[in-house]
Amino acid sequence: MLLFEDYRKKLIESIRSLYPEVRDNDIAPDRTGHADLALRAFSLLRKGDVKIEEIVSRITGALSGEDYIASITSSGGYINFTLNPKKLMEAISSEIYGTDRFPDIFQDPERVSVEHTSTNPTGPIHIGRIRNSIIGDSIFRILSRYGYRVTTQYFVNDSGRQVASLYVGYKKFGQSDSLTTENLLKAYQRMHKEVEADPGLEKEVDETIRQYEAGKQEVMDGIRTICSVILGSINGTLERLGIKIDDYTWESDLIRNGDVNKVLESLEDELEDEGGAKYVSSGGRKMFLTRNDGTSLYFSRDIAYHQYKMDNFDWIIDVLGENHKEHAGHIRYVMKDLLHRDGKLDFVFYSYVSLESGKMTTRGGNIVTADELLDRAIEESLNIVRNKRSELQESELSRIAQAVATSAVRFHIVKLNSNKQMVFKWSEALSLEGDSAPFVMYSYARAASILRKAGDTDIRPEGDYGNLEAPLVKKMYEYAYVLHDAASGLKPEAIANYLLELTRTFNDFYTNCPVLTSETPDRGRRLAIVRNFKNIVKDAAYLVGINVLEEM
RNA sequence: GGGCCCGUAGUGUAAAGGAUAUCACCUAGGCCUCCGGAGCCUAUGAUCCGGGUUCGAAUCCCGGCGGGCCCGCCA
């Protein structure tokens, strides 16, 4: 469903009543400036042995009573429709009449689970992992915006080899240090090196895993404590970015409450054995569920987790790094083909972020943490805002810098198509002009400023839309379609790119089209345009993690 | 070796199989007696290569080339 009245659909239906063979794709928004919507009449022309003029005149006749159409012309095999900005403006405005806020769309929403982040609690969150959180949180916001009941989920991997290795490392090399994420990270990295020299350490890790699954108190307390410390600092980072996790599910809980065993029981007929280790197979691929000592593997725990999610949600979305693609395929196979769970399950993958100096690895120590990025972004923003707004108090400067920095960081990451690799560059991440969040925020602040000065009166969309106004109205009207595409395709970058286009269009209007100093009816109409712009930016910006400010 | 993803101006990116391929950064010029210059205007510059499908291909198919990821009783 669309946020605004769907004129494109209306047009398609009218044309179909004359030419039933016209497909949805034959009518599309035009990007070349010839029209607002274009009908590609190539197949009609070939099949029907008719002239384009005939088609145009039939369509024109059928649409003669429709005031949302401003003109119909043809060129080559295209039939070009321009839309009446007055009607588009009405469609936008009617949705926010009285509230200044666009409503949610669904009445009876599905329950949706969005799992994101879920990074191993073995160190601080770095800029590669934060891509997961940023994409996931935007998907959460977009689906919530649409009216779904969305819960965000974090799967805490406290039962794997990595955490057990951290635990052993901390006991051996870090116990005299205070229990902080930094010291734990040091111990983890040291452990990673020591294991190469002393393979006996691996055996201790194995033993730790066994003891943890068996519920040995000392190990349980130790691992839980360590994970909680690191999770706390990961959470702190997420909070700085305005990202909230609703539910944490600990892998070890699924082992101890029997869910993992239930998975093994359900799969009993499919299980195969290799030296005591259990696996299922498909197409010659073995997917191991347990080790030969009976301890569980990530795969079986993740199946148990998906069972839990299927029980509680109508739509499951997992945001995963591209290295999980095969794993995700296996999960889908087991859930659907072996366990016959047909719930809606979608994966959103993202490619990795690397540094100019190469790949990031937590164990190897070559990382830029998300906190480091945020700190530098805040510093940068503070310098700029202090320079531009020297009259403001320090607390106000800091508030603005925070908003600018977190918005800029999130936007920088979310605007890129998630399956493109990203090479992190400080100069790009800290850029506050061009295709950036502050560019959007600044235009918003200008719109806010105009409306403040105008007061509440005289906002009336009357008179004719000029050639700087109509393009902005049409761009605003597009929001309904962009939001729809972003939600159905789980593509937050579509909103990000739309916001940039919308803002550019507004800036063009702003520089060339006086609002406050113009006469009635232009003034009232332009104020209405500015107000709609401001409302749409506010609505869309939130979805991609931009905190707009009334003043900056 | 096999599988998946990505190749668009110097750099980064956009583009329902559709018309003259988007925008930003960089570079060279220009715009503040005028609603907020984190802005605007002008100029230069691109679809990896070779085939195919189609009235029409950046987009779909096949074959190369380059980069990433995966092919663990790791996660």
Side-chain angles (χ1 to χ4, degrees), chain A residues 7-284:
Chain A
Y7 285 123
R8 178 172 167 268
K9 194 171 165 198
K10 246 181 131 173
L11 179 62
I12 290 171
E13 281 163 5
S14 299
I15 291 173
R16 278 229 186 91
S17 68
L18 302 174
Y19 301 99
E21 65 271 39
V22 166
R23 295 162 307 168
D24 254 28
N25 294 5
D26 290 334
I27 297 175
D30 170 69
R31 306 189 148 272
T32 61
H34 291 81
D36 296 326
L37 291 171
L39 166 64
R40 294 153 192 153
F42 303 98
S43 56
L44 290 181
L45 291 168
R46 231 173 331 152
K47 249 185 270 169
D49 190 30
V50 285
K51 289 209 172 73
I52 189 132
E53 291 78 15
E54 278 176 58
I55 301 175
V56 171
S57 94
R58 277 192 74 187
I59 290 176
T60 305
L63 290 170
S64 61
E66 300 288 359
D67 55 1
Y68 69 95
I69 300 289
S71 75
I72 305 173
T73 57
S74 71
S75 162
Y78 298 91
I79 297 176
N80 292 321
F81 302 87
T82 52
L83 303 179
N84 181 354
K86 205 170 274 187
K87 298 301 290 181
L88 303 183
M89 188 72 173
E90 277 172 25
I92 299 167
S93 308
S94 69
E95 289 299 330
I96 54 171
Y97 183 76
T99 62
D100 253 15
R101 187 178 173 278
F102 297 96
D104 293 342
I105 292 165
F106 295 144
Q107 301 301 314
D108 182 26
E110 294 174 59
R111 298 164 302 166
V112 182
S113 153
V114 175
E115 182 198 337
H116 69 73
T117 309
S118 294
T119 180
N120 282 350
T122 50
I125 192 158
H126 64 64
I127 53 169
R129 302 283 180 219
I130 208 72
R131 192 175 186 187
N132 188 319
S133 320
I134 288 170
I135 291 169
D137 190 64
S138 273
I139 287 173
F140 157 74
R141 291 183 183 201
I142 289 165
L143 295 180
S144 303
R145 170 70 189 77
Y146 234 74
Y148 291 99
R149 285 182 285 160
V150 193
T151 310
T152 48
Q153 311 271 338
Y154 191 123
F155 197 32
V156 183
N157 170 30
D158 62 329
S159 304
R161 174 152 236 108
Q162 279 78 358
V163 164
S165 161
L166 165 62
Y167 172 75
V168 173
Y170 178 69
K171 268 202 334 191
K172 285 210 175 316
F173 313 117
Q175 208 144 27
S176 55
D177 302 327
S178 60
L179 193 56
T180 62
T181 298
E182 293 69 40
N183 289 332
L184 286 166
L185 181 61
K186 261 187 246 160
Y188 185 52
Q189 290 167 347
R190 168 108 184 257
M191 176 73 181
H192 182 57
K193 279 202 193 105
E194 299 280 346
V195 163
E196 283 167 26
D198 178 8
L201 285 171
E202 287 284 10
K203 293 226 162 62
E204 275 187 62
V205 173
D206 289 338
E207 184 54 28
T208 300
I209 294 171
R210 272 194 294 276
Q211 291 172 343
Y212 191 53
E213 293 209 2
K216 188 179 179 190
Q217 200 60 44
E218 181 200 336
V219 180
M220 278 177 59
D221 292 346
I223 288 184
R224 282 277 175 158
T225 305
I226 286 173
C227 288
S228 297
V229 167
I230 294 177
L231 218 47
S233 74
I234 288 172
N235 233 321
T237 308
L238 294 179
E239 232 166 75
R240 296 179 76 186
L241 287 163
I243 296 172
K244 185 173 102 337
I245 306 285
D246 296 315
D247 291 344
Y248 293 84
T249 302
W250 293 65
E251 290 190 4
S252 58
D253 286 342
L254 298 184
I255 297 169
R256 296 206 193 89
N257 73 4
D259 282 3
V260 172
N261 275 330
K262 276 185 213 148
V263 167
L264 296 173
E265 285 161 24
S266 315
L267 292 171
E268 203 171 12
D269 297 343
E270 310 289 339
L271 283 187
E272 296 173 66
D273 190 288
E274 186 174 294
K278 307 285 189 219
Y279 66 94
V280 292
S281 58
S282 166

Side-chain angles (χ1 to χ4, degrees), chain A residues 395-409:
Chain A
S395 63
E396 185 63 8
L397 293 175
S398 161
R399 193 182 70 85
I400 293 170
Q402 296 269 350
V404 168
T406 56
S407 302
V409 165

Side-chain angles (χ1 to χ4, degrees), chain A residues 303-491:
Chain A
I303 293 166
Y305 188 37
H306 279 82
Q307 290 274 43
Y308 158 78
K309 290 198 274 192
M310 289 259 175
D311 289 340
N312 291 284
F313 297 95
D314 306 304
W315 184 10
I316 297 168
I317 297 164
D318 298 346
V319 182
L320 298 169
E322 64 174 337
N323 58 333
H324 280 65
K325 277 187 182 174
E326 191 139 7
H327 170 78
H330 293 166
I331 290 284
R332 193 187 284 287
Y333 166 73
V334 170
M335 295 308 289
K336 195 164 191 294
D337 294 344
L338 302 186
L339 297 171
H340 311 294
R341 300 296 303 255
D342 286 324
K344 200 170 162 194
L345 173 61
D346 280 308
F347 298 100
V348 175
F349 297 106
Y350 64 95
S351 288
Y352 272 41
V353 180
S354 56
L355 302 177
E356 289 175 282
S357 59
K359 206 168 144 171
M360 271 186 287
T361 65
T362 304
R363 278 177 295 197
N366 181 33
I367 56 171
V368 174
T369 65
D371 280 330
E372 201 179 336
L373 171 58
L374 280 167
D375 290 342
R376 283 188 58 173
I378 289 170
E379 198 186 316
E380 191 87 0
S381 310
L382 198 54
N383 284 338
I384 292 173
V385 70
R386 191 174 274 146
N387 218 330
K388 289 181 190 293
R389 304 292 305 275
S390 51
E391 78 280 11
L392 294 180
Q393 300 209 330
E394 194 63 20
S395 63
E396 185 63 8
L397 293 175
S398 161
R399 193 182 70 85
I400 293 170
Q402 296 269 350
V404 168
T406 56
S407 302
V409 165
R410 285 189 64 150
F411 192 76
H412 175 65
I413 289 172
V414 81
K415 76 177 181 198
L416 179 61
N417 181 326
S418 69
N419 50 25
K420 293 221 184 200
Q421 294 157 231
M422 189 168 189
V423 178
F424 178 84
K425 293 180 185 133
W426 281 105
S427 62
E428 288 173 4
L430 297 178
S431 164
L432 304 180
E433 52 183 43
D435 284 347
S436 69
F439 174 78
V440 175
M441 296 168 77
Y442 189 70
S443 292
Y444 179 87
R446 282 167 147 182
S449 170
I450 290 177
L451 292 170
R452 253 195 322 274
K453 287 183 176 141
D456 273 342
T457 54
D458 292 338
I459 300 186
R460 275 196 299 272
E462 293 170 344
D464 292 329
Y465 289 78
N467 60 4
L468 290 161
E469 300 165 48
L472 180 54
V473 171
K474 287 167 183 175
K475 192 51 87 176
M476 292 192 286
Y477 177 73
E478 265 180 44
Y479 180 50
Y481 295 93
V482 174
L483 181 58
H484 180 268
D485 289 350
S488 59
L490 304 177
K491 285 151 67 118

Side-chain angles (χ1 to χ4, degrees), chain A residues 442-443 446 450 468 472 503-515:
Chain A
Y442 189 70
S443 292
R446 282 167 147 182
I450 290 177
L468 290 161
L472 180 54
T503 302
R504 272 182 226 117
T505 313
F506 174 78
N507 285 345
D508 193 25
F509 163 85
Y510 177 88
T511 37
N512 297 300
C513 208
V515 177

